Amino acid sequence: MDAPLTRNIKSDGSTVTLAEYLAGGGYEGLKKTLAEFTPLEVQQRVKDSGLRGRGGAGFPTGLKWSFVPMGEDAPKTKYLVVNGDEMEPGTFKDRLLLEGDPHQLIEGVAIASYAIQANVAYIFLRGEYRLAAARLRRAIAEAEAHKLLGENILGSGFSLDLRLHTSAGRYICGEETALLNSLEGKRATPRAKPPFPQVSGLFGKPTIVNNVETLCNLPHILRNGVEWYQSLSRSGEPGTKIYGVSGRVERPGAWELPMGTTAREIIEEHAGGMRQGYRLKGYLPGGASTDFLLPEHLDIPMDYGSIAKAGSRLGTGTMILLDDKTCPVQMVLNLERFFAQESCGWCTPCRDGLPWTVSLLEDLIAGRGRPEDLETLARLCGLLGPGNTFCALAPGAMEPLQSALKYFRADFERYLQPQNINGGAHA
């Protein structure tokens, strides 16, 4: 099985040096890009590849780039921004790439910047990723010293200034327009759209925001071609995906596998299965902001379309497991507390609705719940759902709750029986 994104990752946790990266064919994709393709041809190849954003939304990457103004009349200043603010609970796939193979990301940044003709790029990095920051700084310096960044890259006439920015640490910075506000030194609140960042983004200039894993795919697509990339998958959606598992399994971790690998294979073969004495009760397939699925969904391919048909989202592809000895109500409360704390407070449904949700769940677990509270929680899932808030934070927060109410309602109802309450837990 070909695993291009992680083939350089070392088992001892050390990083890949420039010499090692070059020895393995590194920067060949960039060389080919600059020597053989126009920016629009690069955009078309990425569009033809079918690459979709790996940050969670899954928007087609080439199509996103095509919204940037190009040609002689286009603004001279454009930006590429790397979203490396990986802060959602249960998500750690980008960290693997950032720490293990920073040159792969730098090569991807250079290719994407050339495709949209951006001469300045930023890596917006989660503040807690200090090891990744140190390794990125060293890798950027190595690339600049070897004329792989900076002025007139490889004699092509294309120049790129790549800058690293470490975040102050807010989950909302993962939303692309809040990220741009933060990068400008403003309060990290989402912006109204339109205008979209592709037309008016960072400092009012055309800007593309791409996820770390998304950009790491580019060197391989440009070097090996569209058909090769599509052949990596087991489903109709191309490429590989870094899937992750956290929870009570034998080997929690992240693995690069063909797109369309089933959750059963990921959990049972790569994560070693459930720990002895535990049974799978459900799982969030794409991180904390996705709907629960059940063991009966384990054989569904883990790709965007198949997971959507099952009633959830692929999201980041990093699963959080719920076992039979963990209370789903308390698990959901833990997630809602996180989302309530991380709300930027910009719109009323999110600012007030999430703390209300937390309060209802806390009362329920403490034995103060009323039967009508379950209906209130269900109604909040709609009121804080898509289209009713400024950004996707609150709708994402509602996904685990609405699916828990659907699949695990008996666990909620048990808290309404006083004899079943024992110090805040099921008796």
Side-chain angles (χ1 to χ4, degrees), residues 349 382-392 394-395:
L383 293 171
L384 274 66
N388 293 331
T389 58
F390 212 76
C391 76

Side-chain angles (χ1 to χ4, degrees), residues 119-130:
N119 292 118
V120 178
Y122 290 89
I123 299 175
F124 190 95
L125 185 68
R126 177 178 176 179
E128 290 84 354
Y129 281 4
R130 294 187 180 90

Side-chain angles (χ1 to χ4, degrees), residues 292 328-329 332 399-409 412:
F292 279 101
V329 185
V332 168
E399 291 188 26
L401 174 59
Q402 69 185 4
S403 51
L405 286 167
K406 174 182 175 183
Y407 292 129
F408 312 121
R409 192 172 183 91
F412 287 82

Side-chain angles (χ1 to χ4, degrees), residues 142-424:
E142 284 180 322
E144 289 174 341
H146 287 77
K147 307 299 182 186
L148 297 163
L149 286 176
E151 294 292 326
N152 192 22
I153 296 173
L154 300 171
S156 65
F158 175 67
S159 302
L160 178 65
D161 179 11
L162 176 57
R163 305 169 187 176
L164 176 64
H165 176 91
T166 52
S167 165
R170 289 307 304 271
Y171 175 66
I172 191 62
C173 290
E175 199 279 337
E176 65 176 2
T177 58
L179 183 157
L180 296 177
N181 273 346
S182 177
L183 202 51
E184 290 181 359
K186 301 173 183 173
R187 180 180 168 187
T189 52
R191 299 177 180 176
K193 293 185 281 188
F196 290 91
Q198 296 92 327
V199 177
S200 179
L202 187 64
F203 304 117
K205 302 299 182 183
T207 303
I208 285 292
V209 181
N210 281 146
N211 166 260
V212 170
E213 186 184 353
T214 310
L215 291 165
C216 287
N217 276 276
L218 299 177
H220 310 288
I221 294 172
L222 272 296
R223 181 185 176 192
N224 299 311
V226 169
E227 291 184 0
W228 168 85
Y229 183 69
Q230 293 174 338
S231 72
L232 298 176
S233 171
R234 289 186 193 170
S235 73
E237 297 173 9
T240 60
K241 178 79 189 75
I242 298 180
Y243 297 105
V245 177
S246 60
R248 288 193 170 97
V249 288
E250 293 291 341
R251 296 188 299 273
W255 308 268
E256 183 185 6
L257 299 167
M259 180 67 86
T261 302
T262 65
R264 183 184 301 281
E265 180 180 329
I266 298 167
I267 294 171
E268 296 183 357
E269 296 185 24
H270 300 281
M274 300 298 292
R275 282 191 215 164
Q276 189 172 8
Y278 293 93
R279 189 167 51 83
L280 182 67
K281 183 178 178 112
Y283 62 101
L284 300 168
S289 61
T290 58
D291 288 86
F292 279 101
L293 293 179
L294 301 176
E296 66 198 56
H297 298 118
L298 283 175
D299 293 316
I300 294 172
M302 286 279 286
D303 61 38
Y304 297 97
S306 301
I307 296 297
K309 284 180 184 174
S312 188
R313 293 188 301 113
L314 181 63
T316 60
T318 47
M319 288 180 271
I320 303 175
L321 306 190
L322 169 67
D323 61 78
D324 62 335
K325 296 183 180 177
T326 298
C327 172
V329 185
Q330 298 202 33
M331 178 177 173
V332 168
L333 170 60
N334 193 32
L335 295 175
E336 298 306 323
R337 280 175 173 158
F338 169 81
F339 289 119
Q341 176 179 302
E342 293 299 328
S343 171
C344 73
W346 193 244
C347 65
T348 303
C350 187
R351 182 184 62 240
D352 293 345
L354 287 175
W356 188 9
T357 302
V358 169
S359 175
L360 288 168
L361 289 169
E362 287 177 339
D363 282 349
L364 186 66
I365 288 173
R368 300 189 297 268
R370 302 165 301 171
E372 58 267 33
D373 288 345
L374 300 191
E375 303 312 316
T376 303
L377 285 170
R379 194 162 68 253
L380 281 170
C381 291
L383 293 171
L384 274 66
N388 293 331
T389 58
F390 212 76
C391 76
L393 190 150
M398 292 295 101
E399 291 188 26
L401 174 59
Q402 69 185 4
S403 51
L405 286 167
K406 174 182 175 183
Y407 292 129
F408 312 121
R409 192 172 183 91
D411 291 278
F412 287 82
E413 291 173 342
R414 270 199 286 273
Y415 279 110
L416 296 173
Q417 307 302 320
Q419 68 273 19
N420 288 336
I421 307 300
N422 179 17

Side-chain angles (χ1 to χ4, degrees), residues 64-65 68 79-82 116 176 197-198 206-210:
K64 188 176 190 179
W65 291 357
V68 173
Y79 297 102
L80 181 96
V81 178
V82 182
I116 64 167
E176 65 176 2
Q198 296 92 327
T207 303
I208 285 292
V209 181
N210 281 146

